[in-house]
Amino acid sequence: MTPDLVTLHVWRIPRAAVPRALARMATHPARLRRLPGVRFAKLLGTGTGAGFGPGDADLTRWAALVVWDSPAAAAGFDASPVGRSWARLARAHVRVELRPLTSRGEWSGRRPFGEPSGGRAAGPVLALTRARLRARRAVTFWRAVPPVAAALHAAPGLLARFGVGEAPLGWQGTVSVWRDAADLVAFAYRHPEHRAAITRTPTERWYAEELFARFVVTDVVGDRTVLGWGATESDPETARGNA
């Protein structure tokens, strides 16, 4: 069954609030999963996306990815104890509403986005990659990251990108937002650095678990600069811009 709605919540907090954010990361994951209508949820740290080690971490930005049973359930997040708690910390916040297009792989032993039926995407799309690294393969993986990260930064059509992870080491992923599906496909399958990394993945056996998913961006509510996404002519008409 395909989920009705996936939301990505991202908060920018003052540096003085970092200890309180770390405390929430310890106690809020279970609370988030217990909210009414939540089918799957992860509370995530973020990074710049330039690397995948502790030095890439951005302790002033935190995120939650939630799969909902219905839009009505998703609408209640901001008023929930978890949503209110993060709102008290944040100096800026954005919610990205998503519809799954494709999903391959597992996250914590589950297929969180069901079996998306695909379809055409008009306007911006979001790509999510997530992997649990094999400890013995981590060094070779980290050495392979810089060329791909540099290529991604300069990729045509890229609107925003940052790293995400459940832990500082070994549980990493990326979020990237693209002007349209064609720009994403062009980078994923035609850019030499990224193609080389894809080719090496089966032989290097970097990942103990991996997931790749793509979504249509159906709405952006709040301050999109939290994502590193500046207002451009190619932004979706549905996006409401800065709050």
Side-chain angles (χ1 to χ4, degrees), residues 90-169:
R91 59 179 176 84
H93 166 250
V94 65
R95 181 179 78 247
V96 185
E97 298 183 0
L98 305 164
R99 177 174 61 83
L101 282 173
T102 62
S103 181
R104 174 172 59 85
E106 295 185 343
W107 194 338
S108 298
R110 296 179 58 185
R111 298 179 62 85
F113 311 116
E115 300 288 345
S117 57
R120 297 180 63 85
V125 294
L126 182 145
L128 169 69
T129 71
R130 181 267 170 188
R132 177 163 54 88
L133 296 180
R134 299 181 190 274
R136 289 180 294 180
R137 303 289 181 178
V139 173
T140 60
F141 172 79
W142 289 326
R143 287 174 178 167
V145 165
V148 179
L152 175 61
H153 180 71
L158 181 70
L159 299 176
R161 61 103 186 236
F162 56 95
V164 292
E166 298 156 81
L169 288 172

Side-chain angles (χ1 to χ4, degrees), residues 123-124 157-159 178-180 183 224 229-237:
L158 181 70
L159 299 176
W178 300 82
R179 179 174 51 200
D180 55 39
D183 287 322
R224 72 183 68 181
W229 180 351
T232 70
E233 292 181 359
S234 58
D235 289 343
E237 292 183 1

Side-chain angles (χ1 to χ4, degrees), residues 12 15 18 22 45-62 162-165 167-169 172:
R12 178 68 72 184
R15 188 161 296 279
V18 168
L22 292 172
T46 77
T48 66
F52 287 89
D56 185 52
D58 184 349
L59 296 179
T60 67
R61 182 172 57 187
W62 303 85
F162 56 95
V164 292
L169 288 172
Q172 282 99 23

Side-chain angles (χ1 to χ4, degrees), residues 13-34:
I13 68 169
R15 188 161 296 279
V18 168
R20 284 172 285 166
L22 292 172
R24 283 162 171 75
M25 288 295 291
T27 60
H28 280 191
R31 296 179 185 178
L32 180 60
R33 292 191 297 269
R34 289 196 297 264

